[in-house]
Amino acid sequence: MSDATAEKISLKRRIQGWMMFDWATQPFYTLGLTFIFGPYFASVASDTFLNTGMDETSADATAQTIWSWGQAIAGIFVAVIGIIAGAYADSTGRRMPWLWAASIVFIFCAWMLWYMVPDGSTIWSSLIIFSIAFIAAELALVFTNAVLPSLGEQNDVGKISGNGAALGYTGGILSLFIMLFFFFDDGGKTFIGLEPGFGLLDPDKREGTRAVGPLISIWFIIFMVPYFLWVQENKNPNREGGFGQSMKELKASLLGMLKRPSLFSFMGAQMFYRDALNGLYAFGGVYAVLVLDWGLTQLGIFGILGGVSAALVTWISGKYDRKLGPKPVIYFHVWVLIVVSLCIIGMSRTSFYGIVLPDGSSLPDIIFYVCGAAIGGSGGGVYAASRSMMVRHTNPNRPTEAFGLFALAGKATAFLAPLLIGVFTYLLNDARLGFSPVIGLFILGLILMRWVHPKGDQTD
């Protein structure tokens, strides 16, 4: 597309196309990371370790540990590649080729999740493939977020960010309904009692559940079309310079951050609270399977509640962001997530903070349903508000590098929550108590937010 054609695309259409990225990618996080593939992986891994002679508690803990290590290693790759690629993209003025490359890798790896067979023979290869898909999705997000500052004035960005995230969560809900109603099998039937894949998929081989990979891939292919059509970039670079020059500019930006206390504090704050949030996302469904022994019905309700809450609360948060700014929105949601984390670590199938529950009590299920809604809502709200706050600290000439830093802050310690969860789970041999470190990470984030200027530092 020529530069002239790109200029003719209305701002409204560009905003609509930009929002479609969230819609296109959210099923990977909703279905892949949290509600379908993650719990399925955990159950297969746990059963496999049981068959090697481990007791049930140790098998559950080991399953959670290896899942955490996969997330940790993927987070390291995102942190390193995201900031370097973002800086280079700014220096060349070209972001779209990077987005295309990440998209192709994502499509291929998401599809390959089909090969996670229930006999446990592909545990390690499937973990690697999922981790690569996660890296590709997060890198694509870096280049997409870099477009956000060009979509509106500073006061409008929070609403745009919130609306985009809310649209994404709505897509996640729809994809979850499709998966639960027509594919995901538990005991040979889907959520509404149908044969998986309209009778075309073998429930004994868990093909309905494994269809999550192709569904994520096809969904992305279809719904990224508006983005690639409407969110165009000029083909002429905005500055000359190769890789070496871009690294010099990146170094200058990193050193300059030390002289920007508001940006530096914000980077540190979200480094911790987003890492803790990612821990909740990555292990929420796993926890439900390993600790509460949930099956299809409970996971389905949990996912639907979380998705509806995410879409609604994120949309409302965008309005409050526009009215109050992103900082108080971040504070509110982080406190909600701390309360949720406290509930999780104090609850088991038979007790709540030492209070023994009657046999068959539904209280743990009810509490975790509420927790799921809170994680979905506050997770979406805090991410959208953080993205809005980043715009207030962004150099308009280097937006991709800025959101590379945003990704770095979200992923530089992305290994930390999974690592700590893995270590605590291993040492305590308990999947429930393994969640304990996320509370400390949330608190560290709140402390550092004290030094973040509510309006950023571009006008300081």
Side-chain angles (χ1 to χ4, degrees), residues 214-356:
L215 176 61
I216 291 170
S217 184
I218 293 170
W219 183 284
F220 182 85
I221 292 171
I222 294 172
F223 293 113
M224 273 298 285
V225 171
Y227 185 98
F228 286 120
L229 287 178
W230 300 336
V231 185
Q232 294 291 330
E233 64 181 2
N234 291 332
K235 293 188 176 181
N236 295 324
N238 56 8
R239 59 178 66 83
E240 299 293 337
F243 182 77
Q245 180 62 29
S246 67
M247 292 303 98
K248 290 181 181 178
E249 293 173 345
L250 172 60
K251 180 180 179 181
S253 296
L254 291 173
L255 292 175
M257 188 169 63
L258 299 176
K259 301 177 182 178
R260 299 170 62 184
S262 180
L263 174 61
F264 187 75
S265 297
F266 179 55
M267 290 293 103
Q270 62 163 329
M271 188 178 293
F272 291 116
Y273 69 68
R274 283 177 62 195
D275 192 24
L277 174 60
N278 289 335
L280 289 178
Y281 280 151
F283 296 97
V286 173
Y287 173 95
V289 170
L290 298 181
V291 177
L292 300 182
D293 299 319
W294 275 10
L296 170 63
T297 301
Q298 293 96 330
L299 279 173
I301 295 172
F302 180 76
I304 292 167
L305 285 173
V308 171
S309 174
L312 180 61
V313 175
T314 303
W315 176 70
I316 295 173
S317 294
K319 291 184 173 295
Y320 276 95
D321 184 313
R322 187 178 188 183
K323 182 179 180 179
L324 305 174
K327 186 173 180 177
V329 176
I330 292 171
Y331 268 126
F332 173 79
H333 288 304
V334 172
W335 273 114
V336 170
L337 292 168
I338 288 174
V339 173
V340 167
S341 301
L342 287 169
C343 288
I344 289 175
I345 66 171
M347 179 175 62
S348 71
R349 182 75 269 175
T350 58
S351 66
F352 184 71
Y353 274 100
I355 301 174
V356 178

Side-chain angles (χ1 to χ4, degrees), residues 174 214 250 386:
L174 180 58
L250 172 60
S386 298

Side-chain angles (χ1 to χ4, degrees), residues 30-43:
T30 300
L31 303 181
L33 186 64
T34 306
F35 297 119
I36 304 296
F37 185 80
Y40 171 60
F41 178 92
S43 65

Side-chain angles (χ1 to χ4, degrees), residues 44-321:
V44 171
S46 180
D47 288 344
T48 302
F49 294 133
L50 271 173
N51 292 332
T52 65
M54 285 188 184
D55 62 87
E56 184 176 355
T57 301
S58 298
D60 289 347
T62 303
Q64 180 164 291
T65 298
I66 65 171
W67 181 247
S68 70
W69 275 106
Q71 298 301 302
I73 294 171
I76 293 172
F77 275 96
V78 172
V80 174
I81 299 173
I83 189 171
I84 293 175
Y88 184 65
D90 276 332
S91 293
T92 61
R94 302 300 308 280
R95 304 182 189 105
M96 199 63 76
W98 291 90
L99 180 56
W100 271 106
S103 297
I104 291 170
V105 172
F106 174 77
I107 291 168
F108 175 77
C109 290
W111 189 284
M112 291 294 288
L113 297 179
W114 164 264
Y115 296 99
M116 174 66 184
V117 291
D119 64 9
S121 61
T122 59
I123 286 177
W124 298 107
S125 60
S126 297
L127 182 61
I128 292 170
I129 289 169
F130 182 86
S131 298
I132 295 173
F134 181 84
I135 293 168
E138 290 292 309
L139 291 179
L141 185 60
V142 170
F143 298 104
T144 301
N145 280 342
V147 178
L148 180 58
S150 69
L151 298 179
E153 299 296 329
Q154 188 178 95
N155 290 336
D156 295 323
V157 164
K159 181 180 179 181
I160 294 171
S161 177
N163 288 349
L167 179 65
Y169 290 123
T170 304
I173 297 169
L174 180 58
S175 68
L176 182 61
F177 274 118
I178 293 172
M179 188 69 198
L180 292 175
F181 286 2
F182 304 113
F183 295 100
F184 186 37
D185 54 272
D186 186 36
K189 300 290 185 179
T190 70
F191 191 76
I192 55 176
L194 299 178
E195 296 288 336
F198 306 98
L200 299 176
L201 301 175
D202 187 349
D204 292 334
K205 297 179 180 178
R206 299 300 302 273
E207 288 182 347
T209 303
R210 290 157 52 197
V212 66
L215 176 61
I216 291 170
S217 184
I218 293 170
W219 183 284
F220 182 85
I221 292 171
I222 294 172
F223 293 113
M224 273 298 285
V225 171
Y227 185 98
F228 286 120
L229 287 178
W230 300 336
V231 185
Q232 294 291 330
E233 64 181 2
N234 291 332
K235 293 188 176 181
N236 295 324
N238 56 8
R239 59 178 66 83
E240 299 293 337
F243 182 77
Q245 180 62 29
S246 67
M247 292 303 98
K248 290 181 181 178
E249 293 173 345
L250 172 60
K251 180 180 179 181
S253 296
L254 291 173
L255 292 175
M257 188 169 63
L258 299 176
K259 301 177 182 178
R260 299 170 62 184
S262 180
L263 174 61
F264 187 75
S265 297
F266 179 55
M267 290 293 103
Q270 62 163 329
M271 188 178 293
F272 291 116
Y273 69 68
R274 283 177 62 195
D275 192 24
L277 174 60
N278 289 335
L280 289 178
Y281 280 151
F283 296 97
V286 173
Y287 173 95
V289 170
L290 298 181
V291 177
L292 300 182
D293 299 319
W294 275 10
L296 170 63
T297 301
Q298 293 96 330
L299 279 173
I301 295 172
F302 180 76
I304 292 167
L305 285 173
V308 171
S309 174
L312 180 61
V313 175
T314 303
W315 176 70
I316 295 173
S317 294
K319 291 184 173 295
Y320 276 95
D321 184 313

